[in-house]
Amino acid sequence: MKNKRKNFIIIAVILFAGILLFFSPKVSKAISKSSTFSYVKNNQTELTEAANKIISGDAGYSYNHDKYIVYYFAASPKPIVEFVGYSFGIAPSVFYTGFYYSPENIPVRFQGSGTAMEPYKNGWAYIEMGNQGYTQKICDNWYWFEFYF
C-alpha cells in the first residue's frame, strides 16, 4: 500500500514538473497590458490605417504582425479588427488578451460578439454562460481586452 502511494506521489510530481516546463515558456510570452497600451499609443496612426484597409476590403492589402494574430469580424453587431496577442489553455478553459479597433469608438465583447457590458473598474465587463470578458479604452477607437471561457 505504501509503495503504491509513493509511486503515485512520484508520478504526480513528475507530471506537475512536466506541465510547468511545457507551459512556462508560453506564460512568459504573455503580452502585458501596459506594453500593449504603449504599443497602440505609439503606433496609432499605422494601426488605424491598417485596420481601415482591412475593414474596407482593400484587395491588395494584407497585414502581418510578428506579435499579434489579426482578425476581422464584420458580421458582429459592430465591425472590429482584433489583434490577439496572447492565448493560453485548452477549451473549456482558455484565456485571451489583446486589443481591437472599433471604428464606431464603442467597446465590444471578444470577437465583436455583442456590446452589452457593465461598467467595471476603468472599463467594461460581462459574464455570461461561463464566459467573461473585460475591455478598457486605450485611446480613440482602440481598446484592450481580456477574455476567459
Side-chain angles (χ1 to χ4, degrees), residues 1-10:
M1 182 70 127
K2 286 186 180 184
N3 280 341
K4 285 184 181 181
R5 186 176 211 180
K6 184 179 176 182
N7 289 342
F8 175 77
I9 291 171
I10 290 171

Side-chain angles (χ1 to χ4, degrees), residues 56 60 72 91 93 106 127 132-133:
S56 72
Y72 173 49
S93 181
I106 59 169
I127 298 176
Q132 57 185 333

Side-chain angles (χ1 to χ4, degrees), residues 9 13 16 35 39 45 48 64 71 99 101 107 114:
I9 291 171
V13 168
F16 183 71
S35 67
Y39 175 76
T45 302
T48 300
N64 296 315
Y71 299 99
F99 60 96
Y101 176 72

Side-chain angles (χ1 to χ4, degrees), residues 3 9 16 19-20 22 49 55 70 72 84 93 108 113 122 127 141:
N3 280 341
I9 291 171
F16 183 71
I19 289 169
L20 286 178
F22 178 75
E49 287 175 10
I55 291 169
V70 183
Y72 173 49
V84 177
S93 181
V108 298
S113 63
N122 295 322
I127 298 176
N141 302 96

Side-chain angles (χ1 to χ4, degrees), residues 90-144:
I90 299 170
S93 181
V94 180
F95 171 68
Y96 293 93
T97 64
F99 60 96
Y100 61 92
Y101 176 72
S102 171
E104 296 186 26
N105 202 27
I106 59 169
V108 298
R109 294 179 180 202
F110 180 64
Q111 297 180 341
S113 63
T115 58
M117 292 181 278
E118 297 292 325
Y120 180 74
K121 294 185 180 181
N122 295 322
W124 301 266
Y126 64 92
I127 298 176
E128 183 177 87
M129 298 186 323
N131 299 334
Q132 57 185 333
Y134 174 74
T135 190
Q136 184 176 338
K137 190 168 191 167
I138 299 172
C139 56
D140 286 345
N141 302 96
W142 291 97
Y143 295 82
W144 159 265

